[in-house]
Amino acid sequence: MAQANEGNIGVADVVDDYDAISRVLQQCSEGEAKGDVAKLQEAFHEDARMFGSIAGERYDTPIEELFALAESAPAD
């Protein structure tokens, strides 16, 4: 676990941040696995975008495309 060295950040704040990040990642993983769009919507900001490259082709798409893909073909 990372250690915060800034004067006004306590251990409790670091733990709270870690827990919040873990919850969002868990929601994302479960949403993709089960095709649960509600969990994905909770995990991502409505204006989020997906960036990447597959076989040399660059992609920049709205997050709703991930929601549709997860719903139509859950990872589980």
Side-chain angles (χ1 to χ4, degrees):
M1 185 160 132
Q3 180 179 4
N5 291 322
E6 295 181 27
N8 59 355
I9 296 178
V11 172
D13 294 326
V14 172
V15 171
D16 290 345
D17 289 349
Y18 178 88
D19 289 344
I21 292 166
S22 295
R23 277 192 300 277
V24 169
L25 291 173
Q26 186 64 36
Q27 284 176 317
C28 181
S29 295
E30 288 176 5
E32 289 177 351
K34 304 294 182 190
D36 188 337
V37 174
K39 284 189 179 188
L40 291 170
Q41 288 172 329
E42 203 172 324
F44 289 95
H45 187 276
E46 63 187 34
D47 293 331
R49 299 190 66 81
M50 298 296 289
F51 297 93
S53 177
I54 298 175
E57 185 173 344
R58 176 122 169 88
Y59 289 90
D60 173 5
T61 60
I63 197 66
E64 289 86 9
E65 289 190 27
L66 171 68
F67 299 167
L69 176 62
E71 187 173 40
S72 69
D76 279 356

